[in-house]
Amino acid sequence: MNLDYEKILADYERAKEVYKDFGVDTDEVLSKMKGISISLHCWQGDDVTGFEEATKGMGGGGILATGNYFGRARNGDELRSDLEFAMSLIPGKHKVNLHAIYAETDGKKVERNELSIDHFEKWLKWAKERDIGIDFNPTFFAHPKAQSGYTLSSTDTEIREFWIEHGIKSREIASQIGKELKKTCINNIWIPDGSKDFTAKRYEHRKILKESLDEIFSASVDKTYLVDSVESKLFGIGSEAFVVGSHEFYMGYVFTSKHDIAICFDLGHFHPTESVADKISSVLAFSKKVLLHLSRGMRWDSDHVVVLNDEVVSVSQEVKRADAFDRVFFALDFFDASINRIIAWVTGARAALKSILYALLEPTHLLNEAEEEGDFGKRLALLEEFKTLPFGAVWNKFCYESNIPVGNSWLDKVKEYEEKVLKSRI
Ligand SMILES: [Mn+2]
């Protein structure tokens, strides 16, 4: 589908009138959209492999990228090239999310507790030239010292110390990235710790994890541009019975810690019928920041590509209704190796942005009024009515204004890139 500008504009003008009848100014919403930034995870581009020679293909950590579509990025240059191409198909200006395993060490073996900002120089230069931000994550998996299933909550002091050092190094790197780029850098801690089967020492592991986190967050690191966050999980492959860093654990930790730490909700890290959307306002009530990892679990935490489904829309609506876009950070977290990885990125990012636009276009004030009047029938009827407002015409205008292909015409560009670039990697 190729739309010309006249059609896009005419559709938009009609949509604008419809929204105006509901008291929504679409021009204003579009200008808000320009300020929305989501974090594009680098690990979709290489199936969470990373650049460490010694641990490549080690996997672990309870995650699993399935599929073998050709063209996986094999090094920093390829990954940056793919990311940059994907970004040219996503409206708006967005951040890139790195894991520690994407350090570039010129073939030298650098242990994770020895990493520094120097090993991310290429990423920094690249981001600086494009004026984009970077987020960061320590990598507590795919490593010989993570093979026991325990890292920060390990009863083995040597193992635990190693990972604490990695956690501190990672905060330092994130702090420096933020300072260099003059943009907030979120350093998100997720650990795979847990056990396959019934575990007796649950309390002991959780006490150890608390102490390890205290050590990591007590390290003196400049927080001018750094936002710390912690991510819970329900279970992973190999940690079905017990996950140390559960939701309850981190809720308790974040709310009682003297350090300012955000909580990360990954849409795949809860029971399949549990709504993450409803958790957001609870955390905001305690003035905490929230990091969202948008993902799509299919029956389990399968990390399917994000699509515009009810859960993603509900999450964005909650942020909009709480007027909390300054306290809630959006990031993507999925990895599908069975399809073109650029299609995965672009589809997921565009779906996430669509959900935000859809939420911003909601005539929320009418819902609030109905609620204040106690007229819940009216509220329900309005919610249904809103679903068929001409949102697509506003989305097309947003893409067009952002100089991004409108409709599915971006797919042709991916196919060209696949022929020219990805096929040469076979
Ligand atoms: Mn996640």
Side-chain angles (χ1 to χ4, degrees):
M1 181 190 73
N2 260 313
L3 292 172
D4 63 50
Y5 184 56
E6 273 171 38
K7 279 186 196 153
I8 294 166
L9 203 65
D11 285 350
Y12 175 71
E13 288 305 322
R14 274 192 290 273
K16 188 176 164 175
E17 286 307 307
V18 175
Y19 277 104
K20 201 174 155 196
D21 283 345
F22 285 90
V24 174
D25 182 340
T26 52
D27 289 341
E28 210 175 278
V29 167
L30 284 180
S31 90
K32 264 190 204 158
M33 278 305 287
K34 286 180 188 133
I36 297 282
S37 170
I38 59 175
S39 196
L40 210 56
H41 57 316
C42 78
W43 51 94
Q44 165 59 60
D46 78 332
D47 315 335
V48 212
T49 306
F51 306 147
E52 274 181 0
E53 280 309 322
T55 64
K56 250 182 204 174
M58 221 175 143
I63 53 175
L64 189 65
T66 54
N68 56 355
Y69 200 86
F70 64 89
R72 182 181 78 76
R74 298 160 299 182
N75 54 53
D77 291 337
E78 288 182 356
L79 191 53
R80 280 184 289 272
S81 156
D82 292 357
L83 265 168
E84 187 157 353
F85 177 64
M87 284 173 136
S88 75
L89 305 175
I90 301 164
K93 191 162 221 169
H94 305 291
K95 298 169 91 178
V96 167
N97 206 356
L98 297 183
H99 244 281
I101 48 170
Y102 293 87
E104 286 164 284
T105 60
D106 279 332
K108 234 178 62 200
K109 184 176 155 70
V110 178
E111 257 311 344
R112 293 198 195 160
N113 61 344
E114 293 164 348
L115 285 171
S116 77
I117 187 80
D118 298 343
H119 305 117
F120 295 90
E121 222 169 69
K122 286 185 185 167
W123 285 108
L124 261 183
K125 185 171 173 280
W126 178 77
K128 226 180 243 177
E129 282 164 8
R130 285 149 190 85
D131 190 34
I132 54 177
I134 289 180
D135 289 321
F136 201 73
N137 305 261
T139 311
F140 291 96
F141 52 87
H143 193 279
K145 285 190 161 60
Q147 289 309 91
S148 72
Y150 294 98
T151 62
L152 289 180
S153 73
S154 173
T155 50
D156 180 328
T157 311
E158 198 195 307
I159 299 267
R160 181 176 161 259
E161 289 295 330
F162 174 84
W163 290 113
I164 289 173
E165 282 168 25
H166 178 54
I168 294 172
K169 279 284 173 340
S170 143
R171 289 186 69 226
E172 287 169 359
I173 293 166
S175 165
Q176 286 163 303
I177 288 175
K179 251 193 276 180
E180 285 279 331
L181 301 176
K182 296 196 170 52
K183 291 182 193 334
T184 302
C185 179
I186 302 171
N187 184 60
N188 178 55
I189 293 182
W190 173 77
I191 59 165
D193 296 33
S195 187
K196 184 183 175 78
D197 223 328
F198 308 125
T199 308
K201 289 188 167 188
R202 299 165 95 96
Y203 181 44
E204 185 174 343
H205 285 293
R206 287 187 168 133
K207 273 197 299 184
I208 296 171
L209 176 56
K210 182 180 176 294
E211 283 162 21
S212 299
L213 291 172
D214 285 344
E215 281 191 50
I216 290 173
F217 291 121
S218 295
S220 146
V221 177
D222 183 353
K223 287 196 72 162
T224 313
Y225 290 99
L226 170 67
V227 170
D228 286 302
S229 74
V230 285
E231 177 178 3
S232 65
K233 193 160 173 166
L234 181 65
F235 78 96
I237 296 173
S239 62
E240 289 85 353
F242 174 49
V243 163
V244 186
S246 62
H247 175 55
E248 292 73 14
F249 176 88
Y250 284 122
M251 285 284 277
Y253 188 77
V254 160
F255 288 145
T256 56
S257 171
K258 61 177 193 266
H259 306 288
D260 186 20
I261 306 162
I263 194 138
C264 172
F265 292 128
D266 186 306
L267 299 196
H269 290 190
F270 293 87
H271 292 278
T273 55
E274 200 175 350
S275 164
V276 164
D278 186 41
K279 300 177 193 302
I280 295 168
S281 51
S282 296
V283 176
L284 292 177
F286 293 90
S287 298
K288 285 287 177 188
K289 293 190 180 87
V290 174
L291 169 62
L292 294 169
H293 271 188
L294 301 185
S295 193
R296 176 169 52 110
M298 178 82 79
R299 306 191 193 281
W300 69 292
D301 180 28
S302 60
D303 286 294
H304 277 66
V305 177
V306 165
V307 294
L308 189 67
N309 59 14
D310 285 350
E311 180 64 357
V312 173
V313 167
S314 304
V315 159
S316 292
Q317 282 172 331
E318 277 303 306
V319 181
K320 191 267 179 162
R321 291 171 188 171
D323 191 20
F325 281 99
D326 56 338
R327 288 194 284 154
V328 180
F329 305 97
F330 285 74
L332 303 177
D333 189 4
F334 53 77
F335 30 92
D336 190 336
S338 73
I339 57 174
N340 179 305
R341 292 165 186 81
I342 289 158
I343 292 184
W345 261 324
V346 177
T347 301
R350 284 173 76 116
L353 289 164
K354 279 179 190 166
S355 79
I356 295 171
L357 177 64
Y358 187 84
L360 286 173
L361 286 168
E362 180 189 80
T364 311
H365 62 287
L366 298 180
L367 299 174
N368 290 341
E369 274 170 32
E371 242 166 67
E372 282 154 21
E373 290 161 12
D375 195 341
F376 303 140
K378 184 176 167 186
R379 179 182 61 188
L380 185 66
L382 283 174
L383 277 168
E384 281 304 288
E385 205 54 43
F386 295 167
K387 287 178 183 170
T388 49
L389 292 181
F391 150 77
V394 185
W395 168 256
N396 285 345
K397 177 81 170 354
F398 178 52
C399 291
Y400 190 88
E401 273 183 0
S402 312
N403 287 316
I404 294 294
V406 177
N408 57 12
S409 58
W410 63 269
L411 271 171
D412 302 337
K413 292 184 188 286
V414 178
K415 285 294 155 191
E416 268 171 47
Y417 188 85
E418 183 170 288
E419 281 300 318
K420 251 194 283 174
V421 183
L422 301 183
K423 278 207 172 144
S424 71
R425 293 179 192 164
I426 297 171

